[in-house]
Amino acid sequence: MSFLRDRPLALKLWLIFAVVIALGTLISYVLVDQATTREFASFSRQRRMEEAQALAPLLAEYYAQRGSWEGVESLLQRERPGRGKGPPWGDPWQSFLLVDSQGQVLVGKDRPEISRDVVESVGVPIIVKNTRVAWVVPATGVHRFSVLEEEFLSSVRHALGLASLIAAGAALVLGGLFLRGVLAPVRHLHEAAQRVARGDFRHRVPVTTRDELGQLAKSFNTMAERLEKSERLRRQMIADIAHELRTPLTVIQGDLQAILDGVYEPSPEVIASIHEESLLLARLVSDLRELSLAEAGELRLEKGTTDLREVIQHAVTVMDPALRAKNIALALELPQNPVFVEIDTQRIEQVLLNLLTNAERYTPPGGQLRVMLTMRDSNAIVHVSDTGPGIAPEDLPYVFERFWRADKSRSRATGGSGLGLAIAKQFVEAHGGRIWVESVQGQGATFAFTLPLR
């Protein structure tokens, strides 16, 4: 087996196929040869017995006329029992033995010694005047086959062997073609895997069948598509991060350069502006770190049994000054009974603050927010609705992606980093819940998420 360990798969399969074909051909040859020999022997014995029974009266008549067996060899040269008169068919005593009453072989091929038991079991007695004077014994009782029969069986075996070799050769050729067709998708997969490993995520494998190999090709193509999408998102994320970091860094660098050049005085206002940009930069880096930990499944959650109503009320209290500043009304709908959930309170409060901040940002002055807590089956459901402009249907699938904004003209001026909803999605899913958005453009948006009840 060590010889095959490093050999190509095609060679291994072909060798296995060849061994199976060889064994199958050999077994078939042996079984067919045995069956042919057995049936031919049975036929030969039956035929010889019939001829011996037809020969016995002729020999009895010959003995009655001559009183001895002298010259009996010429009897069957003139006529063949059961076949009529005509030209002699080889040596007739190749097929029969004439054995006297003492068990001595008088006429026959090689005059072999033969036991009386064999004579009495397979021989046909020759009766003259109610006296058994001899036996006519088919040669198959002593020799299994005659010379001609051996030659016939030999020709049958030769033809059978030749047919077996031809069939085995054809099977090997067809098997090779079959293996080539089967292994072609495997070769395509191997080539595609190498190209993907080199970074070519656009390469696809042709799907030519509907069997397991076809399903494997489809799975590979799906994997390649996801890798291509992941690579595209990775590059986009790097570009977005570079863009988002460049804005505060440019402001900080510009202000400091202006101070150094004497354009700005290092007044408290200028320093406060630089400090604000540094805080924005720090928040962006912190959000990126939280998001990367959550996506990698390495976010630590300090869970505890909490009444979800209290978490919502605290988040609303934190947002109250900002809502009052824009004259935005808030409707809070909470159940009377406690709603206990097993959560990391700080993370879920951050989810609520991200959703409330997003709603406040897109709700015009004088608008309204609505926060509602309900229960369904074994889940608590939190709804945050606004009366903003809503989200276009084509934008809904991208709401929870990094750095996505419904209004592309909004950026730092609105105070958003573009990571809040992506972080909210990861935090909710880390708690075993799910988050979604429903919106009709021009009629506001409703963000909702679920948490398993304790």
Side-chain angles (χ1 to χ4, degrees):
M1 297 302 293
S2 59
F3 167 75
L4 295 175
R5 186 174 302 164
D6 300 326
R7 302 299 175 182
L9 178 61
L11 177 60
K12 294 178 183 177
L13 292 177
W14 192 86
L15 288 177
I16 293 174
F17 202 66
V19 170
V20 172
I21 291 176
L23 289 176
T25 302
L26 179 61
I27 293 173
S28 299
Y29 174 83
V30 171
L31 292 178
V32 172
D33 178 64
Q34 290 180 348
T36 302
T37 303
R38 182 173 59 252
E39 293 300 323
F40 186 75
S42 175
F43 167 77
S44 179
R45 284 193 300 270
Q46 182 178 358
R47 183 174 63 85
R48 293 289 163 71
M49 184 60 68
E50 292 174 355
E51 292 186 350
Q53 291 173 350
L55 179 59
L58 295 177
L59 292 173
E61 181 181 355
Y62 181 89
Y63 187 85
Q65 293 176 356
R66 300 290 181 90
S68 69
W69 295 112
E70 183 178 356
V72 72
E73 294 91 341
S74 62
L75 173 65
L76 298 184
Q77 298 293 340
R78 297 192 302 271
E79 53 184 328
R80 180 76 167 170
R83 295 186 183 271
K85 296 181 180 180
W89 182 69
D91 184 359
W93 293 110
Q94 294 280 342
S95 304
F96 301 98
L97 301 176
L98 181 61
V99 182
D100 63 15
S101 58
Q102 305 299 321
Q104 297 295 319
V105 177
L106 301 176
V107 182
K109 180 184 177 182
D110 300 331
R111 296 192 178 187
E113 293 184 1
I114 183 171
S115 67
R116 191 172 186 83
D117 293 337
V118 173
V119 172
E120 293 179 353
S121 62
V122 300
V124 177
I126 300 173
I127 307 298
V128 178
K129 296 180 180 180
N130 296 326
T131 301
R132 185 173 57 198
V133 296
W135 301 79
V136 59
V137 180
T140 51
V142 181
H143 306 287
R144 192 175 187 186
F145 300 112
S146 66
V147 173
L148 291 176
E149 289 170 337
E150 287 286 0
E151 292 177 355
F152 171 76
L153 283 178
S154 178
S155 64
V156 169
R157 291 191 182 101
H158 177 74
L160 179 61
L162 182 61
S164 299
L165 290 177
I166 293 174
L172 284 175
V173 173
L174 293 176
L177 295 176
F178 172 76
L179 289 177
R180 182 179 180 182
V182 168
L183 293 177
V186 178
R187 287 193 295 271
H188 293 155
L189 281 171
H190 176 67
E191 295 171 358
Q194 288 183 325
R195 296 184 64 171
V196 169
R198 292 193 296 266
D200 182 8
F201 300 113
R202 293 175 297 176
H203 186 71
R204 299 293 182 268
V205 177
V207 180
T208 57
T209 62
R210 297 182 179 179
D211 55 11
E212 289 80 357
L213 289 174
Q215 295 298 321
L216 180 60
K218 287 183 179 179
S219 299
F220 181 89
N221 290 339
T222 301
M223 179 196 70
E225 290 174 4
R226 291 178 178 175
L227 287 174
E228 182 182 12
K229 181 180 179 182
S230 177
E231 177 64 14
R232 185 171 61 250
L233 291 175
R234 185 186 69 85
R235 294 180 178 180
Q236 183 63 42
M237 183 186 71
I238 293 174
D240 289 339
I241 291 175
H243 173 74
E244 296 294 334
L245 291 177
R246 183 168 57 246
T247 302
L249 286 173
T250 301
V251 173
I252 293 173
Q253 183 181 5
D255 288 346
L256 291 175
Q257 187 65 45
I259 292 174
L260 290 175
D261 293 341
V263 178
Y264 289 165
E265 293 291 333
S267 62
E269 292 79 9
V270 174
I271 295 175
S273 175
I274 296 174
H275 181 256
E276 182 180 350
E277 291 298 329
S278 68
L279 291 177
L280 186 61
L281 185 61
R283 189 174 78 241
L284 179 61
V285 173
S286 177
D287 287 348
L288 284 171
R289 180 178 179 277
E290 295 281 354
L291 184 59
S292 63
L293 287 174
E295 290 180 340
E298 298 177 358
L299 186 67
R300 291 185 59 186
L301 298 178
E302 298 180 2
K303 290 185 177 181
T305 302
T306 306
D307 185 354
L308 188 56
R309 298 179 307 166
E310 297 178 359
V311 180
I312 295 174
Q313 288 173 338
H314 187 268
V316 168
T317 301
V318 172
M319 286 296 301
D320 187 62
L323 297 177
R324 288 180 180 275
K326 290 183 64 174
N327 194 27
I328 297 176
L330 176 65
L332 183 60
E333 300 178 16
L334 302 177
Q336 294 182 351
N337 298 323
V339 179
F340 291 110
V341 288
E342 191 81 13
I343 60 172
D344 184 326
T345 304
Q346 183 179 356
R347 305 295 187 187
I348 296 303
E349 184 172 338
Q350 186 175 350
V351 171
L352 288 165
L353 289 173
N354 287 352
L355 295 180
L356 288 169
T357 301
N358 184 76
E360 177 268 328
R361 185 177 301 124
Y362 290 99
T363 300
Q368 182 180 7
L369 297 187
R370 181 187 179 198
V371 179
M372 181 173 60
L373 174 60
T374 60
M375 289 179 289
R376 182 185 303 167
D377 299 330
S378 59
N379 292 308
I381 307 176
V382 180
H383 299 263
V384 178
S385 305
D386 62 56
T387 56
I391 305 172
E394 62 271 17
D395 290 334
L396 287 175
Y398 310 104
V399 168
F400 295 102
E401 291 188 1
R402 308 180 192 91
F403 302 113
W404 180 88
R405 292 187 180 90
D407 186 352
K408 302 300 185 292
S409 64
R410 291 175 178 259
S411 59
R412 294 297 166 196
T414 64
S417 67
L419 295 174
L421 294 179
I423 291 174
K425 180 177 183 293
Q426 293 298 327
F427 283 3
V428 169
E429 291 180 352
H431 282 80
R434 68 183 187 93
I435 188 170
W436 69 94
V437 60
E438 299 172 353
S439 178
V440 176
Q441 197 166 12
Q443 300 181 20
T446 297
F447 286 82
F449 65 91
T450 64
L451 292 171
L453 291 171
R454 187 178 184 280

